[in-house]
Amino acid sequence: MKTIVIASTLFLSFTSKATGTPPDAVTAAFKQMFPTVTDVKWGKEDGTEWEGEFTLNGNEMSANFSEDGKWIETETEIEISALPNAVVDGINATYPGAKITEANVVKNASGGFYEVDLSGAIVHEAAFNVDGSPVK
């Protein structure tokens, strides 16, 4: 039992997002993109990527930056009903019987995609292009 507890603790410590204060380059890039946002919760996604979570105009959002302040992506939560029909069709074809529990639009240098949380499927998070094809 002790081994399980220790292993679980180690797993959680390596998989949970670390919080803290990002480098000045990250906060400067964030302020340039979102000058009116004042309340940001920062976390470190992996060894080199920072994510700021915030609300803007009533929308829950997050923005990711590399340590040198380069923008990686912005994710905005949307109503499930706002998903394009092609995306919903793609989800239904790829994960029959799954229920969409959350939807986000993700913007990045390549354009973007839709990210959804699913229940009742093997996969709990999936990403789809605007045409309904899964993001590879």
Side-chain angles (χ1 to χ4, degrees), residues 94-95 108 110 112-114 126-136:
T94 307
Y95 303 104
N108 58 26
S110 301
F113 55 91
Y114 292 90
F128 290 82
N129 294 304
V130 71
D131 67 359
S133 62
V135 173
K136 304 214 186 293

Side-chain angles (χ1 to χ4, degrees), residues 1-17:
M1 181 67 168
K2 185 176 180 181
T3 303
I4 292 171
V5 171
I6 292 171
S8 296
T9 303
L10 286 172
F11 176 76
L12 289 173
S13 68
F14 287 115
T15 59
S16 61
K17 188 190 304 182

Side-chain angles (χ1 to χ4, degrees), residues 69-102:
K70 182 179 178 199
W71 172 73
I72 298 169
E73 70 179 21
T74 301
E75 186 173 309
T76 305
E77 188 171 346
I78 61 171
E79 295 292 327
I80 295 168
S81 61
L83 286 169
N85 290 335
V87 172
V88 174
D89 292 344
I91 293 165
N92 291 333
T94 307
Y95 303 104
K99 180 180 181 202
I100 303 168
T101 58
E102 184 177 307

Side-chain angles (χ1 to χ4, degrees), residues 117-130:
D117 289 348
L118 304 171
S119 66
I122 294 172
V123 183
H124 295 287
E125 187 174 89
F128 290 82
N129 294 304
V130 71

